[in-house]
Amino acid sequence: MRFVFLFKITFMLQYASITGVLRVILIILLIYYGIKILSRIFAPYLMKYVAKKAEERFGSQFGQYQSPKQEQTKEGEVTIDKAPKTRSSNKKVGEYVDYEEID
């Protein structure tokens, strides 16, 4: 079984020609450089499109959070959403130590 498989591979390699290999290499190079040139031409337009879509998405998200608050408050009026949390320490326990020294 292996012998037949190896024979088929060597038989197929006998028909590979230099012109066929060169033609495949040339096609690969043409495709590579064609994609490279086209990407340089169309990349700025693609980047503008992506930036525009991201700006629209972030703008709509920002508008959802800001618009209700602007309607409720009047100009010059100050509102506090949350009072800051105050830390109370228990004087019976002792001092609060941020770190410990290791000898």
Side-chain angles (χ1 to χ4, degrees), residues 43-76:
Y45 300 114
L46 181 66
M47 293 300 290
K48 285 180 186 177
Y49 177 77
V50 169
K52 183 179 173 184
K53 286 295 181 180
E55 180 182 352
E56 289 175 1
R57 188 177 339 132
F58 291 132
S60 66
Q61 289 177 355
F62 181 74
Q64 288 175 356
Y65 291 115
Q66 293 297 324
S67 61
K69 186 177 253 187
Q70 289 175 353
E71 294 172 1
Q72 294 174 356
T73 60
K74 295 179 184 177
E75 187 176 339

Side-chain angles (χ1 to χ4, degrees), residues 3-16:
F3 180 72
V4 173
F5 181 70
L6 291 174
F7 180 73
K8 286 182 181 180
I9 290 176
T10 56
F11 184 71
M12 290 171 54
L13 289 178
Q14 290 176 357
Y15 286 108

Side-chain angles (χ1 to χ4, degrees), residues 63-92:
Q64 288 175 356
Y65 291 115
Q66 293 297 324
S67 61
K69 186 177 253 187
Q70 289 175 353
E71 294 172 1
Q72 294 174 356
T73 60
K74 295 179 184 177
E75 187 176 339
E77 187 176 317
V78 178
T79 57
I80 299 175
D81 291 338
K82 223 183 220 186
K85 293 183 179 180
T86 57
R87 248 182 150 170
S88 61
S89 63
N90 192 352
K91 298 294 180 183
K92 297 177 186 176

Side-chain angles (χ1 to χ4, degrees), residues 22-55:
L22 290 177
R23 183 183 296 167
V24 168
I25 292 173
L26 181 66
I27 290 171
I28 290 172
L29 288 175
L30 285 174
I31 290 172
Y32 172 74
Y33 284 111
I35 290 173
K36 193 173 180 180
I37 290 170
L38 289 175
S39 67
R40 286 190 181 187
I41 292 171
F42 292 113
Y45 300 114
L46 181 66
M47 293 300 290
K48 285 180 186 177
Y49 177 77
V50 169
K52 183 179 173 184
K53 286 295 181 180
E55 180 182 352

